[in-house]
Amino acid sequence: MTTQPGWQRLKYARSTANTMTITIDEMASFCKRKGLVFPSVEIYGGMAGSWDYGPAGVELANNLKQSWWKFFVQDRQDMVGIDGSIVNPRAVWEASGHTQNFDDILVGCTQCKEKHRADHLVEDEVGIRTDGLTAKELDKHIKKKNIRCKKCGGDLGQCTPFNLMFETYIGDKTPENQGFLRPETAQIIFTNFKGVADTSRVKPPFGIAQIGKAFRNEIAPRNFLFRCREFEQMEIEYFIHPKQEAECPFFDEVAKDKLVLFTEDDQKNDNEAQTMTVKEAVTKKLLMPWHGYWLAIITRWFVSLGAKKENFRCRQHIKTELSHYAKDTWDIEYKFPFGYKELQGVANRQDFDLQQHIKHSGKDLSLFDEESKEKFVPHVVCEPSLGVGRALLVFLFDAYEFDHKRENVVMHLHPKLAPYKAAIFPLLKNRKELVDRAKEIYEDLKQDFHVFYDESGSIGKRYARQDEIGTPLCITIDFDSLEGGDVTLRDRDTTKQERVKASALKSKVEQCLRRGNK
Ligand code: GAP
């Protein structure tokens, strides 16, 4: 019998195991216990909306970002990347419209002075979607429903817009030196657009990607990594010639992929979301081809790394909810423990940003069309924009299982995402010959993979520790290993053990990583 790697058996293993759904707070406390994510500056009482990756978490997050970069940038001929600056002068954010439009509506309690996000209060108390409602409209709902302060039950004051950007000074504190921490990575792609286009030999359709920090002074950060004040984004601005809007050259690749679509009309008419192929959706004019392509390819990336497709749906923004720059936006939503929420936005930003930067900087950001011999300003037909933290939550929730037989959590992370690819244990730590051989194997494997060495506690405890952080393989060196050169290889998902030659370990780990590929 050929031994199937654990990853491929996962579907079966998970469907028969005792799965348990956990809340977002339970996930936060699990992540803290396992060194994945810590509340930031906790020794000083913590800071709402800020989280720090611990030793296992930083590996997981780096693997996630590398997988995204490989899939969306390095494996494609139509994509290039940049890494831009985080603090930018006011001019950039005036041009983008963020100084004027990037607001949430704040409402304060007249008694305890607690500040609330007005749309969230109304959403919770009235049970309606509040995207795009103005301060006046939210005020009306608050009065009509007599919504009170959530903290003390006191009267609420007037709803007022609150700009989410963190302000700073670049140099001394004079008004002309005002700057902002970027609230999205996107604008630094636009400010670099001409330089990239002139030096990279890319022609539309092509995309520019960036991974980096973004900052938003959220009124009410909540739900662990879901809504933070400091977070990372993985963004793509995908540029086309305006005449390419209706033709996506990659469309056939995804035409048969099925998506769950929740259109603007479905939402307005209280209909259920509909499942259909991308081709059907485009034929029915529910989706433009480019949007169909990007929604499908992004879903494929998530699923290829172990996310459960049944937890995803694509929701179209209703008109009033569209950002100031967007013509059409679809969110890929994920069924979080607190309901379906935005995981990733995919907006059609048209030429809004490039035109704004042309106007405000006075620089020519157009390209030359060899065919028509005319200049044109490219359009961003799709802007896939994803938070690293939200993506991590998806993989954490879909990997999490409490195994009652083992009496410990097993994180069924895709081997490519797992912080460590294998853990190496000598059977006993007080037997030098076992420890020496285990360290030799560790030294050898670490040349090619991120691996972990552990000699403390019983083998059962060591297995459990690795299950909990998702290490797909454990390798134990026992007395027989010293004689015959075989070691025990244990699979995280099935707990099956096999004896393999130490010389075959590298190819076993390789296989485990590669076979995880779909
Ligand atoms: N450039 C477009 C843009 O920034 P967005 O919908 O505001 O659009 C894109 O943000 C993505 O960034 C979201 O879908 C989410 O994954 C992530 N994101 C946004 N705000 C966040 C926050 N406060 N905390 C964590 N992630 C956030």
Side-chain angles (χ1 to χ4, degrees):
M1 194 187 85
T2 50
T3 319
Q4 234 184 344
W7 174 249
Q8 289 193 337
R9 287 189 303 263
L10 190 59
K11 225 171 166 188
Y12 171 76
R14 258 198 270 171
S15 63
T16 55
N18 280 317
T19 51
M20 184 173 88
T21 315
I22 59 167
T23 65
I24 190 82
D25 291 340
E26 285 163 345
M27 180 58 85
S29 96
F30 171 78
C31 285
K32 183 176 160 185
R33 284 200 309 278
K34 294 297 135 200
L36 286 156
V37 184
F38 301 121
S40 195
V41 293
E42 202 182 15
I43 58 167
Y44 291 99
M47 184 168 77
S50 260
W51 300 89
D52 299 339
Y53 292 120
V58 69
E59 300 296 338
L60 175 58
N62 283 343
N63 293 340
L64 169 68
K65 287 183 273 183
Q66 273 161 20
S67 297
W68 186 90
W69 194 259
K70 176 152 173 47
F71 187 91
F72 288 104
V73 184
Q74 293 175 338
D75 287 353
R76 300 180 61 117
Q77 290 182 354
D78 59 338
M79 289 288 306
V80 289
I82 63 156
D83 185 8
S85 59
I86 286 171
V87 181
N88 327 108
R90 182 179 176 92
V92 172
W93 302 103
E94 252 173 30
S96 69
H98 282 77
T99 48
Q100 309 91 300
N101 296 312
F102 198 58
D103 296 336
D104 274 341
I105 314 288
L106 179 148
V107 63
C109 173
T110 55
Q111 275 141 56
C112 75
K113 309 294 175 208
E114 179 79 1
K115 304 277 189 278
H116 303 277
R117 225 180 109 163
D119 57 339
H120 286 169
L121 273 186
V122 172
E123 215 166 284
D124 291 350
E125 300 296 318
V126 188
I128 53 163
R129 285 201 80 96
T130 52
D131 315 271
L133 291 191
T134 61
K136 255 193 180 157
E137 288 163 332
L138 290 167
D139 260 334
K140 265 193 204 156
H141 281 293
I142 288 174
K143 300 247 151 55
K144 192 165 161 205
K145 232 347 189 138
N146 191 24
I147 300 174
R148 323 277 309 164
C149 170
K150 272 211 164 160
K151 192 171 170 202
C152 75
D155 280 337
L156 294 174
Q158 198 83 2
C159 289
T160 41
F162 171 80
N163 193 284
L164 296 185
M165 285 198 295
F166 281 100
E167 192 187 321
T168 185
Y169 288 88
I170 305 165
D172 65 320
K173 286 193 176 178
T174 49
E176 61 276 19
N177 285 346
Q178 193 193 26
F180 295 95
L181 300 191
R182 63 184 185 192
E184 61 169 15
T185 65
Q187 292 309 319
I188 307 310
I189 295 181
F190 295 121
T191 55
N192 279 293
F193 171 75
K194 194 68 172 146
V196 173
D198 287 350
T199 56
S200 318
R201 306 188 58 75
V202 279
K203 273 202 231 119
F206 77 94
I208 306 179
Q210 179 170 209
I211 299 180
K213 288 261 177 168
F215 303 82
R216 297 184 188 179
N217 198 0
E218 297 281 352
I219 297 166
R222 58 178 172 179
N223 289 328
F224 186 32
L225 299 176
F226 182 82
R227 191 175 303 288
C228 310
R229 290 190 167 124
E230 177 177 341
F231 56 98
E232 272 179 299
Q233 286 186 315
M234 306 190 279
E235 292 201 296
I236 296 169
E237 301 302 323
Y238 200 82
F239 299 95
I240 58 161
H241 189 297
K243 71 184 178 195
Q244 294 167 324
E245 177 128 27
E247 355 146 344
C248 167
F250 320 116
F251 187 75
D252 287 348
E253 273 178 47
V254 300
K256 291 188 188 143
D257 285 24
K258 283 195 171 164
L259 294 175
V260 179
L261 297 178
F262 200 24
T263 65
E264 182 179 13
D265 280 347
D266 290 335
Q267 293 163 69
K268 285 184 171 159
N269 299 324
D270 258 341
N271 293 336
E272 298 281 304
Q274 320 164 52
T275 305
M276 66 183 84
T277 63
V278 178
K279 189 162 184 189
E280 266 178 278
V282 168
T283 310
K284 289 183 178 168
K285 298 203 182 324
L286 301 177
L287 277 180
M288 290 295 284
W290 280 108
H291 252 121
Y293 170 73
W294 279 105
L295 293 173
I297 210 80
I298 293 162
T299 309
R300 275 194 195 181
W301 175 74
F302 271 105
V303 172
S304 78
L305 287 175
K308 295 177 182 168
K309 197 171 175 186
E310 64 269 26
N311 288 334
F312 286 67
R313 76 175 184 192
C314 304
R315 188 184 69 79
Q316 187 175 28
H317 279 204
I318 50 176
K319 292 276 171 315
T320 49
E321 158 192 14
L322 284 171
S323 305
H324 60 279
Y325 50 72
K327 173 172 155 190
D328 186 21
T329 298
W330 285 77
D331 284 344
I332 297 185
E333 295 190 331
Y334 174 79
K335 204 183 200 179
F336 288 98
F338 43 93
Y340 272 110
K341 294 282 171 206
E342 173 184 346
L343 166 62
Q344 168 155 22
V346 185
N348 178 340
R349 287 181 91 122
Q350 315 162 86
D351 59 348
F352 176 87
D353 303 270
L354 286 183
Q355 293 289 11
Q356 284 293 106
H357 288 299
I358 290 171
K359 195 165 125 197
H360 285 251
S361 70
K363 299 288 183 316
D364 179 8
L365 304 181
S366 63
L367 298 183
F368 187 70
D369 181 4
E370 294 292 348
E371 224 175 77
S372 66
K373 307 286 178 216
E374 282 172 4
K375 281 182 170 184
F376 68 98
V377 176
H379 282 221
V380 169
V381 71
C382 278
E383 181 207 44
S385 174
L386 172 64
V388 171
R390 289 192 195 179
L392 263 187
L393 285 178
V394 166
F395 293 117
L396 289 171
F397 277 113
D398 282 351
Y400 184 97
E401 178 202 335
F402 185 83
D403 187 314
H404 288 278
K405 221 157 143 207
R406 295 187 224 183
E407 294 188 334
N408 61 257
V409 170
V410 183
M411 287 304 259
H412 296 282
L413 288 170
H414 188 290
K416 280 188 183 157
L417 295 181
Y420 302 99
K421 310 309 169 195
I424 297 112
F425 313 146
L427 182 65
L428 299 168
K429 73 169 177 191
N430 54 3
R431 295 296 292 260
K432 187 174 179 312
E433 61 275 39
L434 293 179
V435 169
D436 286 350
R437 182 68 188 123
K439 284 190 174 162
E440 254 173 46
I441 290 178
Y442 166 74
E443 291 294 330
D444 188 34
L445 286 179
K446 90 169 192 211
Q447 310 296 320
D448 298 292
F449 311 103
H450 191 226
V451 289
F452 191 83
Y453 174 82
D454 188 3
E455 57 181 32
S456 65
S458 68
I459 288 289
K461 280 212 174 101
R462 283 182 256 174
Y463 281 155
R465 283 202 287 266
Q466 296 305 318
D467 285 348
E468 287 174 333
I469 54 167
T471 310
L473 298 170
C474 289
I475 298 158
T476 306
I477 289 82
D478 56 21
F479 291 104
D480 290 343
S481 312
L482 303 177
E483 311 262 300
D486 289 354
V487 298
T488 301
L489 186 68
R490 184 255 197 190
D491 179 303
R492 171 198 70 197
D493 296 326
T494 61
T495 71
K496 289 253 164 64
Q497 302 186 2
E498 57 173 328
R499 294 292 284 182
V500 300
K501 289 261 170 262
S503 56
L505 281 173
K506 275 194 181 174
S507 77
K508 285 280 180 187
V509 181
E510 247 340 313
Q511 264 174 32
C512 165
L513 285 167
R514 235 178 304 120
R515 295 218 191 116
N517 257 340
K518 294 241 172 93

